[in-house]
Amino acid sequence: MDANDQVVITGLGVVSPIGIGCHDFRQSLLEGRSGVQVIPYLRGLVAPAPIGGVIPNFDVTDRIRPRKALKVMSRDIQIAFAAADLAVQEACVLRSGISPERLGIVFGTDLIPCELDEIAPAVRGCLVDGAFEFGRWGRRAMSDLYPLWLLKYLPNMPACHIGIALDAQGPNNTLTLGEVSGLCAVAEAVRVIQRGQADVMICGGTGSRIHPAYWGRSRAYPLSKRRDDPASACRPFDADRDGTVHGEGAGAIVLERRRHAESRGAAIYAEIRGFANTSRSTKSNAGLAEAIARAIRLALESADLSVRDIGHVNAHGLGTVADDEAEALAIHRTLGDVPVTAPKSYFGNLAAGTGVVELAVSLLAIRHGFVPPTLNYHRADPRCPIRVVHGRPLTGSSPAAVVLNHTPTGQVASLVVASP
């Protein structure tokens, strides 16, 4: 890649079930500490098991500005703002004298469900003899909602709030693509810089699947039934896996052209070397495996790297029987015996927050020289013929990684990052 096109990462922020900020997040990875637990407000749920990756001790009052913006911030927006703020602080980019017109935002989000206590009065106002009357919604129910209610739940609002707080007047965009949202946001931010439309981009992803609305309607993936031992529930690639786990989290990174970063003396985590986005041709496992394999090959080609250059794979690793088998086959066919780690074993499926929180695992691995083990991997599955890192961190591997995500509808994102 031409030096003028090299885009590097200079800041990282994480808000996750295993830590807020890079230090606590990294410590949990080193200690093998899970963030999956029984969700307090779902404790009485019979099925599915009321377990998930919950962010502990998240106090928004000291993290949001202006404070009045909290009135129109859902949980997804709050954790996105906090992650972006951490990344910007670490990069020291605002003290570099950057013009607001050259600072932009791209964020990946999910559809954001409404808090039940906010919508309950409106729903009750539409009940007639215990039945919901849809015809009453426009006339009656809207009067029971906070006038700015909708602003709390629009998917584009994380990017908007971050942009307003930072006075970022450059490109501002949002991608709502499920689990691939975060990695696709990173790829788009890289392209914005390479097109010359910004000098610095803040990008990331945010999502929360521990909201009760997801439990009532989400059937995209089988969920683990291990309610008696939540920490062991998500078991990517293990022969005894029985489903994934919901979670919540947000991650953000600061991107800039290498020359821009070096000119201001910024510390560099890694370089974005390549990216690919594919989709499966059929609903079969074979179709998903082929799409993942193609994404890996295209990303390596884009990065101008070979299999020998890759130190580890950061797998999507849902913990479901079918998805893990398809992903493992794709990794085996394209990358052979390259070590694989699966971060969802620590915190579950973070929806649109998945990509950049998991990318943070590889960035810390590159910076600190270790690949964290996959939790709960005890018995190899012959249908998943890959080298899963487990038991203890892996050291001494090449400082380059392939990061993978895919969605239940078959979209695949593959990102290659490497030591600067």
Side-chain angles (χ1 to χ4, degrees):
M1 183 181 293
D2 185 89
N4 290 325
D5 285 331
Q6 291 176 356
V7 176
V8 297
I9 299 167
T10 55
L12 173 63
V14 180
V15 178
S16 81
I18 62 169
I20 298 173
C22 293
H23 178 269
D24 289 350
F25 185 76
R26 182 167 69 94
Q27 281 301 115
S28 292
L29 294 172
L30 283 170
E31 296 169 12
R33 190 187 313 138
S34 172
V36 180
Q37 59 180 278
V38 173
I39 301 172
Y41 53 80
L42 294 175
R43 191 176 296 274
L45 201 64
V46 176
I51 58 176
V54 181
I55 300 168
N57 306 318
F58 179 61
D59 183 4
V60 301
T61 56
D62 295 330
R63 299 180 182 274
I64 305 301
R65 61 185 189 279
R67 187 72 60 84
K68 64 181 181 181
L70 271 171
K71 295 180 180 179
V72 287
M73 282 188 174
S74 63
R75 178 103 168 155
D76 301 55
I77 299 172
Q78 292 171 13
I79 60 178
F81 188 99
D85 194 46
L86 288 168
V88 169
Q89 288 181 33
E90 184 181 52
C92 301
V93 69
L94 297 184
R95 295 199 293 270
S96 68
I98 184 172
S99 168
E101 292 85 358
R102 302 295 296 172
L103 175 63
I105 318 285
V106 183
F107 237 79
T109 65
D110 262 348
L111 298 177
I112 303 174
C114 177
E115 294 298 329
L116 299 185
D117 59 350
E118 289 189 2
I119 203 169
V123 172
R124 282 195 292 267
C126 295
L127 295 178
V128 178
D129 296 328
F132 187 86
E133 292 286 344
F134 288 92
R136 295 172 63 93
W137 182 259
R139 293 180 290 105
R140 170 73 175 80
M142 298 308 291
S143 62
D144 292 323
L145 293 172
Y146 172 54
L148 300 179
W149 168 80
L150 185 60
L151 295 182
K152 292 184 69 172
Y153 305 107
L154 291 174
N156 65 310
M157 293 310 292
C160 292
H161 281 288
I162 295 165
I164 291 168
L166 300 179
D167 191 28
Q169 300 175 26
N172 189 297
N173 199 5
T174 298
L175 302 180
T176 305
L177 300 167
E179 288 90 341
V180 301
S181 300
L183 293 188
C184 288
V186 173
E188 174 57 19
V190 169
R191 294 179 182 121
V192 168
I193 293 173
Q194 291 175 338
R195 290 195 295 262
Q197 296 172 322
D199 293 323
V200 176
M201 292 294 292
I202 300 155
C203 57
T206 183
S208 176
R209 287 204 169 161
I210 64 167
H211 189 285
Y214 275 110
W215 299 74
R217 66 179 178 84
S218 177
R219 296 291 183 269
Y221 296 120
L223 295 176
S224 174
K225 301 178 180 64
R226 291 187 174 89
R227 64 187 303 143
D228 295 331
D229 187 9
S232 71
C234 190
R235 301 183 172 213
F237 306 112
D238 184 80
D240 297 319
R241 66 193 184 277
D242 72 333
T244 193
V245 172
H246 287 324
E248 62 173 351
I253 58 176
V254 175
L255 295 177
E256 50 192 302
R257 205 179 296 274
R258 179 186 287 274
R259 288 182 178 176
H260 187 274
E262 291 175 344
S263 70
R264 66 184 190 87
I268 297 174
Y269 269 96
E271 178 186 350
I272 304 290
R273 291 294 299 264
F275 176 83
N277 188 204
T278 63
S279 59
R280 66 184 181 191
S281 56
T282 69
K283 291 184 177 180
S284 67
N285 248 26
L288 178 59
E290 192 280 328
I292 297 171
R294 185 155 41 92
I296 294 170
R297 289 193 296 268
L298 291 173
L300 287 177
E301 182 180 324
S302 170
D304 194 24
L305 294 176
S306 70
V307 174
R308 294 187 301 275
D309 299 314
I310 303 302
H312 75 273
V313 179
N314 186 322
H316 191 59
L318 272 172
T320 67
V321 173
D323 284 81
D324 284 7
E325 182 178 340
E327 185 176 21
L329 289 173
I331 292 170
H332 177 70
R333 290 170 185 169
T334 54
L335 297 172
D337 199 36
V338 172
V340 177
T341 189
K344 286 185 182 66
S345 59
Y346 290 82
F347 41 68
N349 184 359
L350 311 182
T354 282
V356 181
V357 173
E358 293 180 357
L359 172 61
V361 174
S362 289
L363 295 179
L364 292 170
I366 289 171
R367 170 166 284 189
H368 297 284
F370 77 96
V371 178
T374 300
L375 295 186
N376 308 319
Y377 185 84
H378 306 300
R379 195 161 69 92
D381 184 348
R383 295 172 298 179
C384 297
I386 52 175
R387 180 185 167 195
V388 178
V389 180
H390 65 285
R392 62 180 183 272
L394 174 70
T395 59
S397 63
S398 172
V402 173
V403 185
L404 296 171
N405 284 141
H406 67 262
T407 71
T409 52
Q411 293 169 292
V412 181
S414 177
L415 185 75
V416 179
V417 290
S419 171

